[in-house]
Amino acid sequence: MTKSLQAPHPLTLIPGPVEFTDEVLQAMATPSESHVSPQFISVFGDALALLRQLFFNTDKTAQPFAIAGGGTLGWDVVASNLIEPGEDALVLHTGYFADSFADCITAYGGKPTQLKAPIGQRPSLQAIEEELKKKSYKVVTITHVDTSTGVLSDIKSVAAIVRKVSPATLVVVDGVCSVGVEEIRFDEWDIDFVLTAPQKAIGVPAGLSIFIASGRALDVFKSRKSPVTSYYASLAKWLPIVQAYEAKKPAYFSTPPVQNIHALLASLKQILAVPLEDRFAAHIRTSDHVKSTIEAYGLSQVASQDGARAHGMTAVFLPDGVTLAELLPRISKRGIVLAGGLHKEIAAKYFRIGHMGVSVTDEDRGDFEKALAAIKESLVEVGYKI
Amino acid sequence: MTKSLQAPHPLTLIPGPVEFTDEVLQAMATPSESHVSPQFISVFGDALALLRQLFFNTDKTAQPFAIAGGGTLGWDVVASNLIEPGEDALVLHTGYFADSFADCITAYGGKPTQLKAPIGQRPSLQAIEEELKKKSYKVVTITHVDTSTGVLSDIKSVAAIVRKVSPATLVVVDGVCSVGVEEIRFDEWDIDFVLTAPQKAIGVPAGLSIFIASGRALDVFKSRKSPVTSYYASLAKWLPIVQAYEAKKPAYFSTPPVQNIHALLASLKQILAVPLEDRFAAHIRTSDHVKSTIEAYGLSQVASQDGARAHGMTAVFLPDGVTLAELLPRISKRGIVLAGGLHKEIAAKYFRIGHMGVSVTDEDRGDFEKALAAIKESLVEVGYKI
């Protein structure tokens, strides 16, 4: 590990934004470039090509996108392009983000049906299969990792069930807290759409909406009977743009965020310099270590099912009698920034640790030894016995 | 002028992205911060407060916003929040961007009527007044500076006419190539909505959609009969967020682009360190110099009406027999990046020079002496006689 060029700062170990590498931050400070200069076209084109690798995608009928916006914008893309007004969407619920995705689908005239599980769990494959047989769903949406609960969904199995029971239904994955940390084999698992954001396991500052659409999804979009119900989120506007940039040709719809795209390329190069399998394994190791340590402290996780827990974050219930207002500032004083709860029904009862990106892959940083020690010391300070 | 920290690079003198200051680029490289940390809340809150100053806004019923996205996203905000399906919008046409704004309004169910002028001109105030009397328009949209033609609109006079003839109609300004270079007195001129992007005269890398809504506009939005027809662009989602950040409190809808907001604050501090009147005057001086020099070269402008020309850019017709493919690469070889044409009907016949931001305000840089010399030398090289 070379000494970081970054000013000393508290360690941000939340489920995004994560810590960034020096190279990524330097790319954010790239001097001005025209968005249609050969230099930038090459950078954007390379970033799109590397995004394919991140998704194990080689099928060229699929198309990756990176546009200025929040991860949330990916929901608008799905709701306004892949679903026509009045059509049904099955929303698999594993926390806060499914409610929001359902809201978004409603805003564009789609009809979401939520299949819920108790907090901390995920709907069973059997329940999903039964629900799929009831109606003709245009899309099924799955939150791969629900950042509000840390529940991990089994997108491979869900996609297989959809293909078996309702083959024309599009499989849409919200991969905001999963892409870059959880395995996603886009082609092989026959997924139709994954949306994500850069500030999680992709290791790039927030400001991009990143997504990939399958050939099947693009065909569904192209054969819509009604017009697309958005403008900035319209695939009709963006598809020719990203196709042009990937072919290293200029195109214009809305000025791309030049510096953020430079940062995306810088991070993708770092991520793909080692096999993705090794990256996933490193995140599993860190996740197991964080989770077992937390359990050794006597604390329990919001995600309650074995095998259904995210590898990029851990949601931890507070001990009885300890509040977030007591605990988090003490951890913060020790230089570690963690996150409070997000799921409305239990928000005050738990905190969240993010373990993604360079904090995981550069073990010499010792970020989680520091974080776990800070948590332990702070718990002891508020009177909890470990 | 202290020596720049930026690596040597071609001067980007297009109508955005513009050249950035070192301080802005350093802010883009801010190490990771939680989007709800006290540090970032303070930065975002300060940026919103300074945005008010940029618009000469003191009326607190108005609200500025800065969200991740392209400038284009501001159109979606207008079309999906301020216009209900079936309602009429009057779109004043001064180039390419009015066509796109009209497209956007249509996507959300509004009914745009375009009032057009010949290329390089703007609709007369009389024509606007007559049109306003014909129908009950929910909004009038004006492109303050059409980046495709360099035509400047008289938004103060248009707003005054709207208030006289159709007082309930909302005055919406596309200020993408104007905010920070052209005078906009939001409160005094009684404007309802201005949308812009950071990579023009605000001097911040692309990646933000910045807008300000009047109390009247927010009331119209709040009293909608039909639901908002977007999700990511919904004012209902963002209003509580920016209100919270401006009050220095945490809030969450979609993770804000932390680094871009830091850069926005850095640039706004630099911009507002001198009176805005001085900034506008500096841009007028540079614009006059560029335009008179170009005319002295025997070239004419796309924006053909005196007093209706932008001060942040100049659109220049090529001499007969000279092509963009001959001219721009020669200028580029001299280290100056200019832009080609954008207005479909005449795109191959003109080029565009951007003169906004630090290239204008830091005269010691000599950016336009270099650019005008490069244009002259390149014209001579292709056989044009000056």
Side-chain angles (χ1 to χ4, degrees):
Chain A
M1 185 180 69
T2 53
K3 196 170 154 41
S4 169
L5 300 169
Q6 299 172 46
H9 62 279
L11 280 180
T12 303
L13 299 178
I14 64 177
V18 303
E19 288 289 306
F20 306 118
T21 66
D22 289 350
E23 292 75 12
V24 166
L25 289 178
Q26 282 166 354
M28 286 292 286
T30 301
S32 192
E33 274 177 2
S34 165
H35 49 300
V36 289
S37 65
Q39 294 82 352
F40 178 66
I41 291 170
S42 175
V43 165
F44 199 174
D46 289 348
L48 291 165
L50 292 189
L51 276 177
R52 291 187 188 273
Q53 292 185 33
L54 192 64
F55 291 103
F56 297 96
N57 163 252
T58 55
D59 176 357
K60 293 287 180 159
T61 67
Q63 180 61 51
F65 299 72
I67 69 179
T72 303
L73 181 62
W75 296 342
D76 291 67
V77 174
V78 171
S80 65
N81 291 279
L82 303 184
I83 306 171
E84 300 196 44
E87 289 182 337
D88 286 298
L90 178 59
V91 175
L92 305 184
H93 187 284
T94 50
Y96 175 91
F97 288 92
D99 292 326
S100 302
F101 203 161
D103 262 10
C104 177
I105 290 168
T106 304
Y108 288 99
K111 292 186 175 169
T113 298
Q114 291 212 46
L115 185 60
K116 297 202 177 191
I119 295 175
Q121 300 181 35
R122 62 191 189 194
S124 71
L125 295 176
Q126 195 190 335
I128 295 168
E129 180 158 353
E130 283 168 15
E131 187 56 47
L132 279 168
K133 287 175 178 165
K134 289 186 192 163
K135 267 189 231 177
S136 171
Y137 286 107
K138 186 69 172 288
V139 307
V140 171
T141 74
I142 320 163
T143 315
H144 197 179
V145 168
D146 194 292
T147 317
S148 74
T149 56
V151 169
L152 176 70
S153 292
D154 177 2
I155 63 171
K156 181 182 178 184
S157 299
V158 172
I161 288 172
V162 172
R163 287 298 157 247
K164 186 182 73 174
V165 179
S166 180
T169 299
L170 298 176
V171 176
V172 173
V173 173
D174 177 339
V176 164
C177 202
S178 83
V179 174
V181 51
E182 310 290 353
E183 186 177 25
I184 302 179
R185 296 188 180 268
F186 190 79
D187 296 1
E188 189 185 327
W189 296 355
D190 208 359
I191 294 168
D192 293 301
F193 198 93
V194 181
L195 62 99
T196 190
Q199 73 273 13
K200 317 271 182 176
I202 296 177
V204 172
L208 292 171
S209 168
I210 296 169
F211 47 94
I212 181 168
S214 70
R216 186 193 292 121
L218 293 173
D219 286 343
V220 163
F221 150 70
K222 287 171 187 165
S223 59
R224 281 178 72 95
K225 290 188 184 68
S226 58
V228 171
T229 49
S230 67
Y231 186 79
Y232 185 72
S234 166
L235 288 177
K237 300 296 178 187
W238 286 112
L239 185 59
I241 304 302
V242 287
Q243 284 175 335
Y245 275 98
E246 205 175 346
K248 305 281 172 95
K249 289 176 188 159
Y252 176 71
F253 166 54
S254 174
T255 307
V258 170
Q259 280 65 19
N260 304 62
I261 297 288
H262 269 274
L264 176 62
L265 178 60
S267 196
L268 290 174
K269 281 182 177 173
Q270 293 185 318
I271 288 171
L272 295 163
V274 295
L276 280 172
E277 290 79 0
D278 294 358
R279 181 178 180 84
F280 301 150
H283 281 86
I284 290 172
R285 274 198 308 277
T286 299
S287 177
D288 287 350
H289 176 57
V290 169
K291 288 173 171 62
S292 63
T293 306
I294 286 295
E295 281 173 14
Y297 293 171
L299 305 179
S300 63
Q301 293 177 54
V302 175
S304 54
Q305 295 174 297
D306 246 0
R309 292 176 176 135
H311 300 104
M313 62 169 289
T314 303
V316 186
F317 278 117
L318 292 163
D320 280 346
V322 176
T323 66
L324 285 173
E326 287 173 318
L327 190 65
L328 290 189
R330 285 183 166 80
I331 296 173
S332 175
K333 257 188 227 159
R334 290 169 167 87
I336 307 290
V337 179
L338 302 183
L342 189 58
H343 194 297
K344 279 171 205 155
E345 294 174 41
I346 54 170
K349 296 182 182 170
Y350 72 109
F351 64 96
R352 295 173 299 149
I353 310 165
H355 29 84
M356 289 176 270
V358 68
S359 291
V360 169
T361 56
D362 184 352
E363 290 183 15
D364 292 343
R365 293 170 59 113
D367 286 0
F368 297 103
E369 294 319 309
K370 292 175 205 163
L372 292 166
I375 293 169
K376 186 176 183 178
E377 290 166 24
S378 302
L379 283 168
V380 169
E381 207 172 281
V382 298
Y384 178 72
K385 293 202 170 49
I386 293 177
Chain B
M1 184 180 68
T2 53
K3 195 169 155 41
S4 169
L5 301 169
Q6 298 172 45
H9 62 278
L11 280 180
T12 302
L13 299 178
I14 63 176
V18 302
E19 288 288 307
F20 306 118
T21 66
D22 290 351
E23 291 75 11
V24 166
L25 290 178
Q26 282 167 353
M28 285 292 285
T30 301
S32 192
E33 274 176 3
S34 165
H35 49 299
V36 289
S37 65
Q39 294 82 350
F40 178 66
I41 290 171
S42 175
V43 165
F44 199 174
D46 289 349
L48 291 166
L50 292 189
L51 276 177
R52 291 187 188 272
Q53 293 185 34
L54 192 64
F55 291 104
F56 297 97
N57 162 251
T58 55
D59 177 356
K60 294 286 180 160
T61 67
Q63 180 61 52
F65 299 71
I67 69 178
T72 303
L73 180 62
W75 297 341
D76 291 68
V77 174
V78 171
S80 65
N81 291 279
L82 304 184
I83 306 171
E84 299 196 43
E87 289 182 337
D88 286 299
L90 179 59
V91 175
L92 305 185
H93 187 284
T94 50
Y96 175 90
F97 288 92
D99 291 327
S100 302
F101 204 161
D103 261 9
C104 178
I105 291 168
T106 305
Y108 288 100
K111 292 186 175 172
T113 298
Q114 290 212 48
L115 185 61
K116 296 202 178 191
I119 294 176
Q121 299 180 37
R122 63 191 188 193
S124 70
L125 295 176
Q126 195 190 334
I128 295 167
E129 181 159 352
E130 283 167 15
E131 188 57 46
L132 280 168
K133 288 174 179 165
K134 288 185 193 163
K135 267 189 230 175
S136 171
Y137 286 106
K138 186 68 173 288
V139 306
V140 172
T141 75
I142 319 163
T143 315
H144 198 179
V145 168
D146 195 292
T147 317
S148 75
T149 57
V151 170
L152 176 71
S153 292
D154 178 2
I155 62 170
K156 181 183 177 181
S157 299
V158 172
I161 288 172
V162 172
R163 288 297 157 248
K164 187 183 73 175
V165 178
S166 180
T169 299
L170 298 177
V171 176
V172 173
V173 174
D174 177 339
V176 163
C177 202
S178 84
V179 174
V181 50
E182 311 289 354
E183 187 177 23
I184 303 178
R185 295 188 181 268
F186 189 78
D187 296 1
E188 189 185 326
W189 296 354
D190 208 0
I191 293 168
D192 293 301
F193 198 94
V194 181
L195 62 101
T196 190
Q199 72 274 14
K200 317 270 181 176
I202 296 178
V204 172
L208 292 171
S209 169
I210 296 169
F211 47 94
I212 182 168
S214 70
R216 186 192 292 119
L218 293 174
D219 286 343
V220 162
F221 150 70
K222 287 172 187 166
S223 58
R224 281 178 71 96
K225 289 187 185 70
S226 58
V228 171
T229 50
S230 68
Y231 186 79
Y232 185 72
S234 166
L235 288 177
K237 300 294 179 188
W238 287 111
L239 185 59
I241 305 301
V242 288
Q243 284 175 335
Y245 275 98
E246 204 176 347
K248 305 281 172 96
K249 289 174 188 160
Y252 176 72
F253 165 55
S254 174
T255 307
V258 170
Q259 280 64 19
N260 304 63
I261 296 289
H262 269 275
L264 176 62
L265 177 61
S267 196
L268 290 174
K269 281 182 177 173
Q270 292 184 319
I271 289 172
L272 295 163
V274 296
L276 280 173
E277 289 80 358
D278 294 359
R279 181 177 180 84
F280 300 149
H283 281 86
I284 290 171
R285 276 197 308 278
T286 298
S287 177
D288 287 350
H289 176 57
V290 169
K291 288 174 172 63
S292 64
T293 306
I294 286 295
E295 280 172 16
Y297 293 171
L299 304 179
S300 63
Q301 293 177 54
V302 175
S304 54
Q305 295 174 297
D306 244 1
R309 291 177 177 135
H311 300 104
M313 62 167 290
T314 303
V316 186
F317 278 117
L318 292 162
D320 280 346
V322 176
T323 65
L324 286 172
E326 289 173 316
L327 190 65
L328 291 188
R330 285 183 165 81
I331 295 172
S332 175
K333 258 187 227 159
R334 291 168 166 88
I336 307 290
V337 179
L338 302 182
L342 189 57
H343 194 297
K344 279 170 205 156
E345 292 173 44
I346 54 170
K349 296 182 180 169
Y350 72 109
F351 64 96
R352 295 172 300 148
I353 311 165
H355 28 85
M356 289 176 270
V358 68
S359 291
V360 169
T361 56
D362 183 353
E363 290 182 16
D364 293 343
R365 293 170 60 111
D367 285 0
F368 297 102
E369 294 318 311
K370 293 175 204 162
L372 291 166
I375 293 169
K376 186 177 183 178
E377 290 167 23
S378 301
L379 282 168
V380 169
E381 207 172 280
V382 297
Y384 177 71
K385 293 202 169 48
I386 293 177

